[in-house]
Amino acid sequence: QVQVVESGGGLVQPGGSLSLSCEASGSIFNLYTMAWYRQAPGKQRELVASITNGGKSTFTDVAKGRSSISLDDAKITVYLKMDDVKPEDTATYYCNYRRTGASAPDYWGQGTQVTVSS
């Protein structure tokens, strides 16, 4: 079994930065991908960014150009930083952990709320 726990989030002012972290523990895959998704009220969950322990990272349009993602392989912890946040970045941010190249099984954290408001 795998446990996924997010931390960070909270209230962020427009134009500021959000910083999130997520740790996976338990039965760990040799090759794995950790990803950040987000879901705003009334909208579908969408991918923000992902990173593999092989060193490959990807960003979707919502994050490209203003975000960074990094992975501490020893701690199995992924970090997301997003700059210049806007009210539309308000959402619950979820961390996902899965074996690289496979869609299942995958494991989700409980989510952390980010609110962008002045």
Side-chain angles (χ1 to χ4, degrees):
Q1 194 59 280
V2 176
Q3 295 78 44
V4 178
V5 179
E6 303 105 337
S7 60
L11 180 64
V12 186
Q13 290 206 339
S17 300
L18 68 84
S19 295
L20 304 175
S21 63
C22 169
E23 180 180 5
S25 61
S27 300
I28 300 303
F29 304 122
N30 286 336
L31 299 177
Y32 61 88
T33 298
M34 297 187 78
W36 286 100
Y37 289 75
R38 70 185 188 185
Q39 187 167 19
K43 294 189 176 182
Q44 288 191 328
R45 191 172 296 190
E46 61 179 352
L47 177 65
V48 176
S50 66
I51 189 166
T52 73
N53 66 332
K56 180 180 178 182
S57 59
T58 60
F59 298 89
T60 63
D61 288 345
V62 301
K64 205 171 291 184
R66 61 187 180 116
S67 303
S68 62
I69 189 169
S70 61
L71 177 68
D72 185 332
D73 194 26
K75 297 180 180 179
I76 314 176
T77 298
V78 62
Y79 304 91
L80 176 72
K81 185 172 183 287
M82 183 181 290
D83 298 321
D84 191 26
V85 296
K86 305 170 180 59
E88 49 264 42
D89 294 315
T90 295
T92 301
Y93 284 70
Y94 295 92
C95 180
N96 177 271
Y97 172 86
R98 69 181 189 278
R99 188 192 309 271
T100 297
S103 58
D106 65 339
Y107 302 89
W108 293 89
Q110 78 286 354
T112 184
Q113 177 67 36
V114 173
T115 302
V116 181
S117 174
S118 55

